[in-house]
Amino acid sequence: MIKKKNAVIFLVVALIVTNSITFFLTNKIDLSMGNKYIITKHTYDEITQFSKMFAVKDMLEKNYVSKINESKLAEGAVRGLASGVGDPYTVYWDPKDFQANTITTEGEYAGVGLVVEAKDDNILIVSTIEGSPAEKAGIKSGDLIIGIDNKAVSGDSLDDAVSLMRGKAGTPVKITILKQGQSQPSDINIVRANIVMKSVSDKTVGNDIGYIKITAFQKNTAQEFIDSLKDLQNKNIKGLVIDLRNNGGGLLDQCTEIADALIGKSTIVYTIDNKGKKDVITSDKNKINVPYAILVNGYTASASEVVSGAVKDTHSGVLVGTKTFGKGIVQTILPFKMPGEKQESALKVTTAKYYTPSGVCIQGIGIQPNYTVDLPDNLKQKPELTLQEDVQLQKAMSVVESELK
């Protein structure tokens, strides 16, 4: 009887295990049978949900007048999938886009050291990076680039021109330049080098007032800020103006490190993700010991607003200028590489909202400065302002100086 009972129990257990495995396999794992596949219900539901995309692909292949590049078609579909979220900050980056973004946040690349823009179908040199091969070769702001390695370039091909100028450090590149005031172009041979883009600059203005401009929050921005601050403190500054105008943001760890030096012991910012998880970033008690003001405008965004919001909410300093952009969300970059691909692509996706110390999410709202001062319309697009023209800087200096009396 015992043996028979054990056999029955074994049979029942075997049936349960077999049925469980069958259920698991048919619901969780796609199985192949020769040239056919048994797919899970989840996979089937996904195929059904995106059946319209396959239908459009089929119609394109049957009807489009020219040969279709299926790889580009797939890339376009992936871009569309990310844009379908309806969030302009959630985007798909192909390998080229991903590399360009990495250069922006890292602040380092191999090239010639030019800042360029498209203007009137031309490629205009805006500036040369200090110490770069381009600066050493005598290239100046206002010159035009009309060719690279004997290939004609124009404003419409700006991205291609930038790619052609970049390359491995130590390799040569020939740039054809049309200098201001000249009618004939000239070829300049340059050897590429590793370029480090500085995001912080400093000087003194007025009566012992330090001025620090931060153009972006890149990998080394916080250290550059600390170095500039020390240099100015060695000059015995009595007050400080920090310029965050036209700073579109960057890396969260860099902006919070700078805020830590400004506000004393406090919450700098906190984030809440889609699961309700709250992460709080705080600062210690150490902070600068001079009065300061921060310059802001409608292009002060994201990481710049983290600093601005922390300063305003903690009353550590004052904001001068116009209302900030209003980007109170955080993006995470998720690199990935599919089988057979050589380079990584990435998905930049909004993963959390951030809140200032007082609990305000500024998304779509912005931060109102303590002192509202606008620039005259004719000066808003001017890249560099003199002290006499810059009424916002004048006001910031006046506020700081009043704190010294």
Side-chain angles (χ1 to χ4, degrees), residues 140-155:
K140 304 291 185 183
S141 301
D143 293 346
L144 300 178
I145 299 174
I146 62 174
I148 301 170
D149 283 338
N150 298 318
K151 180 180 179 181
V153 294
S154 65

Side-chain angles (χ1 to χ4, degrees), residues 229-240:
L229 186 59
K230 287 180 180 177
D231 287 343
L232 291 171
Q233 287 172 330
N234 289 336
K235 295 175 182 176
N236 298 315
I237 59 166
K238 295 183 173 63
L240 179 66

Side-chain angles (χ1 to χ4, degrees), residues 44 173 198:
Y44 175 78
V173 59
K198 289 199 68 175

